[in-house]
Amino acid sequence: MSNITTSTNNTRTATYFTFDHFGKKIVGSEQNFKMSGNPNKPQYAALMAAMEAHPNYELSAVAPKVKKQTYAGLTCDLMREYVQIKGTPAQLKELDNLIDNNEAYPTIKSWFLDYFKCGFTVEKAKSVVAHHKLNARKAKVRVKVAPAAVVEMPAAANF
């Protein structure tokens, strides 16, 4: 792809559109195409120059990049607790082997997300682990109720 550049006040060079010569397209962002509708904007001049240079080329907008999902806060300990709750014993054993063999964190995270990626977020995982720990504490703490005391009443007195 080649670029078309324009300069503004001889201080800055901006690239608004590129050429895809194989696909015969003038490629730009949706924002640049939108701004090229105003004759007072530099995008207008750049688009007109591009269209004049290549009159048979189609205009093609590039979709904005989708932000990559990150897993900040996903630690090996959180993965282990989550696998204990949601996984199988075989998965837990496999995770323990990865951790014990000092595998790199990206390898462990990749293995974990292969099993649990569907709908997985770190916030949900923390919530599941916290809820599980709370239920485990509740199960351990049993309130013992003392048996009802038997109170002997003296024999009824004659009044």
Side-chain angles (χ1 to χ4, degrees):
M1 280 193 189
S2 58
N3 299 326
I4 186 162
T5 58
T6 60
S7 59
T8 326
N9 297 335
N10 294 328
T11 56
R12 181 179 147 219
T13 302
T15 302
Y16 297 111
F17 303 99
T18 58
F19 296 110
D20 176 5
H21 294 294
F22 293 111
K24 296 195 180 261
K25 296 178 184 178
I26 299 171
V27 181
S29 69
E30 290 182 19
Q31 182 69 24
N32 281 332
F33 278 118
K34 186 175 182 180
M35 293 182 77
S36 68
N38 184 345
N40 298 325
K41 299 284 184 182
Q43 287 89 344
Y44 176 81
L47 183 60
M48 291 301 118
M51 290 173 62
E52 186 177 318
H54 301 285
N56 297 331
Y57 281 31
E58 296 178 10
L59 301 179
S60 176
V62 176
K65 292 182 180 177
V66 177
K67 290 186 178 181
K68 182 175 131 179
Q69 182 178 5
T70 61
Y71 297 97
L74 183 62
T75 63
C76 289
D77 292 335
L78 181 61
M79 285 187 257
R80 189 172 195 296
E81 290 174 341
Y82 191 80
V83 171
Q84 282 178 333
I85 298 166
K86 295 285 189 176
T88 63
Q91 290 171 336
L92 182 60
K93 184 176 180 181
E94 192 173 346
L95 178 62
D96 285 339
N97 285 339
L98 289 172
I99 294 171
D100 292 342
N101 292 334
N102 293 324
E103 290 291 335
Y105 173 76
T107 304
I108 297 170
K109 183 175 84 171
S110 176
W111 173 88
F112 177 80
L113 292 175
D114 283 345
Y115 283 107
F116 299 104
K117 188 165 186 161
C118 184
F120 178 83
T121 63
V122 175
E123 293 77 26
K124 285 181 186 177
K126 287 180 179 179
S127 175
V128 166
V129 169
H131 185 70
H132 182 74
K133 285 181 178 179
L134 181 65
N135 286 342
R137 279 188 218 125
K138 284 181 181 178
K140 285 182 181 178
V141 177
R142 302 259 184 221
V143 178
K144 292 187 178 181
V145 179
V150 178
V151 179
E152 293 184 29
M153 299 294 287
N158 291 335
F159 289 94

